[in-house]
């Protein structure tokens, strides 16, 4: 039982390049989330998916797109990376539509944009 | 709009001493509140949560938190810290649309 798995764990991009962060969960979670973590700012919600087939913007969605491919997978895409997107990205899942509020996090993906 | 404030960016505590981390929130309804811990290079792990009822909640690893509505606070405490408690701690609030808003975090350093 791997929980929430993110790939890649580390990535270096040049400005303007694109990439996709992958997230998969084997906990049968209905809701999935993408956060970014920056020093002194805590975690900020980029996008979330309350259930399979739905996605919604969070606090900082600009420059990102997401796909809820199926119940297990929720990917985050950067179409044209910018240095401001240098961050640590966390995927999380939550059971029962997120009603409990408890999130289960992956180990993070550290992205550097040069 | 809801918000979560953690006034202390960094706290240093001696091993065996008590620890208290502050969390203040702003929310127009009954809050659902959480404390998460993040060890270096890891994701976040839930320590405890408050939904309703008893205002003193117990969590894992010997932590507890007290909800005080009059002060809009949800402070985290541990009577005696261990070196392994060195980590970053986040307070979070769940809104009615089930999204979590996090505070900026408090880094705890434990000295021998």
């Amino acid at each position: 039982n791997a929980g929430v798995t993110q790939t890649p764990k580390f990535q270096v991009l040049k400005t303007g390049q694109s990439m996709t962060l992958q997230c998969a969960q084997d906990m049968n979670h209905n809701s999935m989330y993408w956060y970014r973590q920056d020093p002194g700012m805590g975690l900020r919600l980029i996008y979330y998916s309350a259930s399979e087939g739905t996605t919604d913007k969070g606090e900082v969605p600009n420059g990102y797109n997401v796909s809820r491919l199926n119940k297990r997978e929720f990917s985050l895409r950067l179409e044209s990376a910018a240095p401001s997107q240098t961050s640590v990205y966390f995927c999380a899942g939550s059971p029962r539509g997120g009603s409990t509020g408890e999130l289960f996090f992956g180990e993070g993906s550290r992205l550097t944009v040069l | 709009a809801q918000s979560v404030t953690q006034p202390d960016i960094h706290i240093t505590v001696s091993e065996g001493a008590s620890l208290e981390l502050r969390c203040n929130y702003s929310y127009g309804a009954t809050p659902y509140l959480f404390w998460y811990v993040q060890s270096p290079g890891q994701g976040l792990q839930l320590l405890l949560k408050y939904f309703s009822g008893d205002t003193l909640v117990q969590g894992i690893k010997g932590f507890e938190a007290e909800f005080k509505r009059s002060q809009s606070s949800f402070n985290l405490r541990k009577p005696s810290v261990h070196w392994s408690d060195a980590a970053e701690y986040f307070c979070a609030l769940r809104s009615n649309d089930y999204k979590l808003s996090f505070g900026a975090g408090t880094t705890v350093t434990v000295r021998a």
Side-chain angles (χ1 to χ4, degrees), chain A residues 35 37 48 90 99-100 103, chain B residues 36 38 51 90 94 100:
Chain A
Y35 284 88
Q37 182 180 26
Y48 71 104
F90 287 96
S99 60
T100 66
L103 301 184
Chain B
Y36 283 83
Q38 183 182 32
F51 284 173
F90 293 92
R94 197 207 83 180
L100 243 58

Side-chain angles (χ1 to χ4, degrees), chain A residues 21-64:
Chain A
L21 298 176
Q22 306 286 355
C23 176
Q25 53 94 3
D26 59 7
M27 304 175 78
N28 201 33
H29 290 163
N30 290 319
S31 300
M32 297 184 74
Y33 306 78
W34 276 106
Y35 284 88
R36 61 176 289 174
Q37 182 180 26
D38 302 290
M41 304 191 75
L43 280 79
R44 293 180 292 169
L45 182 63
I46 305 171
Y47 271 93
Y48 71 104
S49 171
S51 60
E52 185 179 356
T54 68
T55 60
D56 286 285
K57 295 179 180 179
E59 184 183 355
V60 288
N62 291 344
Y64 305 95

Side-chain angles (χ1 to χ4, degrees), chain B residues 72-87:
Chain B
S72 297
S73 68
F74 187 55
N75 294 349
L76 181 72
R77 300 193 293 253
K78 185 169 185 177
S80 177
V81 299
H82 185 262
W83 64 266
S84 60
D85 294 322

Side-chain angles (χ1 to χ4, degrees), chain B residues 1 8 15 17 19 22-23 35 38 41 46 57 59 61 78 87-88 98-100 102 104 107-108:
Chain B
D8 304 305
E15 192 169 14
L19 174 68
R22 296 184 290 164
C23 172
W35 275 99
Q38 183 182 32
L46 181 69
V57 293
K61 305 186 181 187
K78 185 169 185 177
E88 190 163 16
Y98 305 118
K99 291 183 290 187
L100 243 58
F102 287 84
T107 299
V108 173

Side-chain angles (χ1 to χ4, degrees), chain B residues 13 16 20 29 35 37 39 44 52 62 64 66 72 79 89 93-94 103:
Chain B
V13 62
E20 182 168 13
W35 275 99
V37 60
S39 299
L44 280 71
S52 63
E64 66 178 25
E66 185 171 14
S72 297
Y89 293 80
L93 180 151
R94 197 207 83 180

